[in-house]
Amino acid sequence: MQKFEKWQGCGNDFVIIDSRTDSHIDNAEKISRMCDRHFGIGADGVIYVLPSKIADVRMRIFNADGSEAEMCGNGIRCFTKYLGGDLKVETGAGVLSVKLNDNLVTVDMGAPILDAEKIPVADFSGEIINQPIDIDGEIFKITCVSMGNPHCVIFVDDLSKINLAQIGSKFETHKIFPRRTNTEFVEVIGENELRMRVWERGSGITLACGTGTCATVVAANLNGLTSKSALVHLDGGDLQIDWRADNHVYMTGAAEKVFTGEF
C-alpha cells in the first residue's frame, strides 16, 4: 500500500507522495493508473517529495500519462503547502524559491526563456513572437516561452469559440515542438487582466497551469497587450503573475489539501 495526499491548486490536482525515505514509482503505467479518474485516485499528475543535495528538498513530477515534466507551477504551490514552509526546491527546471504566506504561496519561477533553440521550437531562431503556424489549414499566431517547460501562447478575440478538446493535441504534437508543448489560448480582458484556457502536455485539458500562466503574462507583455503584472483567470481559479525588474517571473496563488489515503 502507498500512502498519499491529494492536493489541488486552481483545480489542477495532484497526488503527493513523500518518498524521502522510501523508493518511489517512476513507472509510467503505474503512475497513469494512479491518475485515472475512474479506476485510480484521479489527478493531473503525481508529485514525489525526494531528498536533495543542492536544495532543501527535491520535487519530481509526472503527468497523467506517466511522462515526466520539468516543472509545474500549481504543483509546486501544493508541494509547498504540503511541506508547510519557505523552501528552496530542486526541480527539473533548476532550484526555485518558494514562500508561504497564510493560504497563498509565492514562487520565484525564474527568468523566462525566449530563444527558440532552448525552448525548444524547431524551424525557428531567436524569439518567436506573434509568428504564424498552420494547424490543419488554419493559421494561428503563436508566441513561445519556456518556464523550464515549453509553452505556446495564442491570443484570441473570443475564447469561447476555441474548441480546446479538438485542437489542443494538434498543437502538443506538432512537428515544430520536439519535446511536445503546453498550449495556452488567451483572451485579453484589460491592461492587467487576462482569461486563459490550457491544454497541458501529457494531461490534456486541465483547469489551470501555473507555468503556462507565467508564460502567458510574459507573452502578453511581449506583444504589447498587458503590463508586466496581471491577474489571470483560469477555469479553476485566479493567479497573480508579476514579471519583475530582476527578469524573474513570480506567481502567487492558493493551494489546498483535498484528502489523504492509501493506494
Side-chain angles (χ1 to χ4, degrees):
M1 301 292 285
Q2 175 68 67
K3 293 182 178 179
F4 70 89
E5 290 191 7
K6 172 79 173 284
W7 283 74
Q8 66 88 13
C10 291
N12 209 188
D13 56 344
F14 307 94
V15 173
I16 299 182
I17 298 171
D18 194 331
S19 294
R20 284 175 287 186
T21 57
D22 300 321
S23 60
H24 68 289
I25 299 169
D26 59 4
N27 178 281
E29 182 181 354
K30 291 180 180 179
I31 287 169
S32 63
R33 281 177 54 208
M34 282 192 280
C35 292
D36 190 289
R37 296 190 183 278
H38 300 287
F39 299 102
I41 301 163
D44 293 321
V46 175
I47 296 173
Y48 289 101
V49 184
L50 298 165
S52 172
K53 295 181 180 179
I54 61 173
D56 296 317
V57 67
R58 178 186 175 202
M59 182 181 92
R60 194 175 182 196
I61 180 163
F62 293 85
N63 298 312
D65 67 355
S67 60
E68 187 167 6
E70 300 90 343
M71 233 297 285
C72 176
N74 290 315
I76 199 171
R77 292 201 322 279
C78 294
F79 184 92
T80 302
K81 287 287 292 290
Y82 171 84
L83 291 173
D86 298 350
L87 298 166
K88 298 284 188 182
V89 182
E90 179 187 354
T91 74
V95 176
L96 302 181
S97 298
V98 293
K99 291 186 177 297
L100 182 59
N101 182 16
D102 295 328
N103 191 47
L104 298 179
V105 180
T106 297
V107 185
D108 178 354
M109 300 287 285
I113 298 167
L114 304 176
D115 182 76
E117 185 177 352
K118 295 179 180 178
I119 292 173
V121 184
D123 301 333
F124 286 88
S125 61
E127 296 182 355
I128 305 170
I129 301 172
N130 201 36
Q131 294 298 306
I133 181 177
D134 186 303
I135 301 290
D136 286 352
E138 185 175 358
I139 301 300
F140 293 86
K141 296 292 185 70
I142 65 172
T143 299
C144 295
V145 180
S146 172
M147 294 301 308
N149 55 357
H151 292 273
C152 173
V153 183
I154 301 102
F155 295 97
V156 298
D157 294 329
D158 187 350
L159 195 55
S160 66
K161 293 182 178 180
I162 299 297
N163 188 338
L164 189 55
Q166 183 181 64
I167 201 168
S169 63
K170 295 178 182 179
F171 277 91
E172 177 183 354
T173 59
H174 195 280
K175 63 181 181 179
I176 68 168
F177 301 114
R179 285 175 21 209
R180 299 186 293 166
T181 190
N182 303 281
T183 308
E184 290 77 33
F185 290 89
V186 186
E187 183 178 338
V188 178
I189 306 300
E191 182 184 358
N192 300 299
E193 193 173 3
L194 301 166
R195 171 78 173 95
M196 184 195 99
R197 297 197 70 209
V198 61
W199 177 279
E200 288 200 60
R201 175 186 61 171
S203 294
I205 296 173
T206 62
L207 297 180
C209 176
T211 55
T213 310
C214 294
T216 288
V217 173
V218 170
N221 182 258
L222 292 174
N223 280 280
L225 300 174
T226 66
S227 68
K228 288 191 171 185
S229 293
L231 179 67
V232 183
H233 304 293
L234 310 162
D235 286 352
D238 296 342
L239 289 174
Q240 176 64 41
I241 307 297
D242 301 289
W243 189 10
R244 298 182 187 172
D246 62 1
N247 195 37
H248 284 210
V249 181
Y250 293 79
M251 173 192 63
T252 300
E256 65 178 8
K257 181 165 68 173
V258 183
F259 59 83
T260 63
E262 292 183 342
F263 181 77

